[in-house]
Amino acid sequence: MSQENFLGIKENTNLNRESEPISLSSEEPAIIFENVTKKYGDFYALDNVSFEVNKGELFSFLGPSGSGKTTILKIIGGFEEPDQGNVYILGDRINGIPPHKRKNVNTVFQNYALFPHMNVFDNIAYGLKVDGVKKEVIKQKVQNMLKLMKLEEWEKSEPHHLSGGMKQRVALGRALIKEPKVLLLDEPLSALDLKIRQHLLIELKNLHERIGATFIYVTHDQGEALSVSDRILILDQGKIVQIGTPREIYENPATRFAAGFIGEMNFLDGKVIRAESERAIVQIDRLGEVLVKTKGKIPLGQSITVGIRPERVFLFKGTEGANDINRVTGKLIETIYEGAIVNYIVALDNDQEVKAEARGGDALLLSFGIGDSVYFCWKTEDAIVLKN
Ligand SMILES: Nc1ncnc2c1ncn2[C@@H]1O[C@H](COP(=O)(O)OP(=O)(O)OP(=O)(O)O)[C@@H](O)[C@H]1O
Ligand SMILES: [Mg+2]
């Protein structure tokens, strides 16, 4: 039995032959990094990094400056070679293959890298011209791209007449015109003002949903990563700290670094002084005892850090509130009014400064004055336990 596919090629559709392996190619990851190490001299830019990016995912790399984000993109794009490890794009091992032969991949850099003396149309058309695509086809494709990027009225303009946001849309158009299966975006918005950045970020997300390609997005802005990503990889000093959905990382950070990098968190250090299978009492240095929920039983004497997000904290003047609440004492030293929210900085009795966040209209909290003694409180289930 056979039928024609959309290219007019006959395909065999007989499914009863047992010797034929079932193709799993649609499940194959877009990118696989397998134990990749990259050194510059003695310095490890990437140290045994392994991860997979699924097809169609919007996958972000998040990490501080110098953590190795661009190095990963350069390796995927073919601009750097790993010293060790394997890299696969859509199932093919691509170690040693030069950038221009990696047809499935295209990169958008931070600084637009447009050709200054070519107009918008020619900038976007460039890759197709190099490939010798017919003029009529180029025209049609570029017109479609100009429309998609909302640049129709600017096709004859040169880059220096465009705003930063428009230049970045031209750069995106130029990368997308060749319909890459994997688009690498290296901090594409970081040179732009906050408002334009937020606007383009939404457009980028919509674009991703419309075209269904795999997007790899590099940023050191946690807000950007949280709002657009299907999954985030957190990188620090060339090592993977955590991979997960924005929610997984926010609610269950793997380490103190991940917890502090995604959102804000107060950290209280202590030692386990009593433990049962799912909970423990922790002695916080110079503050007293608190109760934590644990996965399994933590050994007595283990040093741990209790992490509490500022939005999970309650401040009380007295011992009101439920009995099962954890409380430590301190003094309010600063109130930061930000309209929708108010931040309270408290100096705890061990001199550590911590933060509580409340909605702006909260009457109870607004009645606190600088210098007031306060109880800094949280529910046991809202704290995260990080082993040191
Ligand atoms: N060609 C090179 N020669 C020597 N060291 C390099 C080279 N390229 C990168 N490095 C170093 O490797 C580390 C990782 O660099 P990389 O550019 O990947 O960081 P990044 O996470 O992209 O940082 P940023 O947020 O600043 O862009 C840095 O310490 C950098 O100095
Ligand atoms: Mg970089």
Side-chain angles (χ1 to χ4, degrees):
M1 215 210 289
S2 70
Q3 70 185 42
E4 286 181 5
N5 71 8
F6 69 101
L7 293 172
I9 299 165
K10 287 206 161 85
E11 280 182 326
N12 199 311
T13 54
N14 185 346
L15 299 175
N16 293 328
R17 286 178 308 163
E18 285 179 5
S19 59
E20 193 95 325
I22 297 168
S23 169
L24 293 176
S25 59
S26 63
E27 304 299 325
E28 192 173 70
I31 306 282
I32 301 176
F33 257 54
E34 204 175 69
N35 306 111
V36 171
T37 292
K38 174 72 191 171
K39 283 165 78 176
Y40 293 109
D42 288 339
F43 175 78
Y44 283 81
L46 296 176
D47 188 358
N48 197 23
V49 166
S50 301
F51 64 88
E52 292 182 1
V53 180
N54 299 320
K55 270 188 197 157
E57 227 177 353
L58 201 165
F59 191 91
S60 297
F61 294 122
L62 182 63
S65 191
S67 56
K69 306 180 297 293
T70 297
T71 305
I72 294 182
L73 287 208
K74 282 183 179 165
I75 288 174
I76 300 172
F79 305 104
E80 291 281 4
E81 276 298 311
D83 296 309
Q84 279 169 40
N86 299 308
V87 180
Y88 301 85
I89 300 179
L90 299 162
D92 298 324
R93 185 172 179 275
I94 47 91
N95 296 58
I97 294 176
H100 64 275
K101 292 205 172 149
R102 300 187 184 194
K103 299 278 184 208
N104 287 323
V105 181
N106 222 325
T107 311
V108 178
F109 297 100
Q110 179 178 346
N111 52 4
Y112 325 123
L114 299 179
F115 301 112
H117 300 301
M118 283 185 195
N119 66 29
V120 167
F121 184 101
D122 291 333
N123 260 288
I124 293 178
Y126 182 79
L128 297 178
K129 279 188 185 157
V130 169
D131 285 355
V133 176
K134 276 196 204 141
K135 254 193 165 162
E136 310 84 76
V137 178
I138 293 182
K139 191 158 186 224
Q140 188 57 52
K141 286 196 169 187
V142 175
Q143 295 299 351
N144 289 344
M145 190 54 72
L146 287 165
K147 210 166 161 193
L148 191 66
M149 293 297 156
K150 303 188 189 113
L151 288 166
E152 292 125 301
E153 287 159 34
W154 301 88
E155 62 171 297
K156 296 273 178 283
S157 307
E158 288 185 357
H160 62 272
H161 287 130
L162 305 178
S163 70
M166 286 168 165
K167 279 188 224 173
Q168 201 52 291
R169 291 209 297 272
V170 178
L172 268 173
R174 200 176 57 176
L176 285 170
I177 195 94
K178 292 178 72 178
E179 299 170 31
K181 299 224 166 66
V182 178
L183 184 66
L184 309 177
L185 299 146
D186 194 355
E187 309 216 26
L189 311 181
S190 63
L192 306 173
D193 294 344
L194 180 67
K195 266 221 160 127
I196 302 169
R197 202 161 73 217
Q198 287 170 338
H199 181 68
L200 264 188
L201 192 67
I202 296 165
E203 285 187 8
L204 204 66
K205 175 92 177 155
N206 291 339
L207 195 68
H208 172 255
E209 275 160 22
R210 234 178 309 159
I211 66 177
T214 305
F215 278 25
I216 298 193
Y217 188 78
V218 168
T219 178
H220 53 241
D221 182 323
Q222 50 141 323
E224 276 185 13
L226 282 174
S227 60
V228 299
S229 313
D230 294 313
R231 285 191 303 152
I232 298 171
L233 184 158
I234 300 184
L235 205 61
D236 185 30
Q237 298 178 30
K239 287 198 177 79
I240 294 178
V241 176
Q242 190 170 10
I243 303 174
T245 64
R247 183 178 281 264
E248 278 164 2
I249 295 181
Y250 190 81
E251 291 181 0
N252 249 320
T255 67
R256 192 165 170 148
F257 178 85
F261 208 76
I262 292 257
E264 283 185 271
M265 193 168 264
N266 299 298
F267 297 110
L268 300 177
D269 295 325
K271 267 196 174 49
V272 173
I273 57 167
R274 263 177 56 203
E276 290 171 17
S277 62
E278 300 288 311
R279 54 194 200 152
I281 305 271
V282 181
Q283 172 75 40
I284 307 288
D285 304 336
R286 292 161 56 204
L287 285 178
E289 295 171 10
V290 302
L291 179 66
V292 295
K293 259 175 46 176
T294 60
K295 290 189 190 102
K297 189 171 173 179
I298 299 191
L300 287 184
Q302 163 90 46
S303 294
I304 64 167
T305 298
V306 183
I308 310 131
R309 299 265 182 216
E311 71 268 22
R312 299 293 189 179
V313 173
F314 308 94
L315 291 186
F316 291 124
K317 277 186 178 165
T319 51
E320 63 264 46
N323 286 331
D324 62 347
I325 217 162
N326 289 293
R327 47 184 96 226
V328 291
T329 49
K331 276 198 166 51
L332 183 67
I333 58 168
E334 199 180 345
T335 304
I336 304 158
Y337 181 76
E338 290 177 8
I341 59 163
V342 182
N343 285 308
Y344 296 88
I345 310 296
V346 174
L348 297 177
D349 289 349
N350 65 354
D351 298 328
Q352 185 183 346
E353 285 184 16
V354 286
K355 189 176 187 181
E357 179 189 303
R359 295 225 181 83
D362 194 321
L364 180 67
L365 284 165
L366 288 172
S367 69
F368 286 110
I370 304 296
D372 286 356
S373 290
V374 292
Y375 288 95
F376 182 91
C377 310
W378 67 94
K379 290 185 194 157
T380 299
E381 73 233 40
D382 287 339
I384 291 159
V385 175
L386 299 158
K387 284 187 197 160
N388 293 327

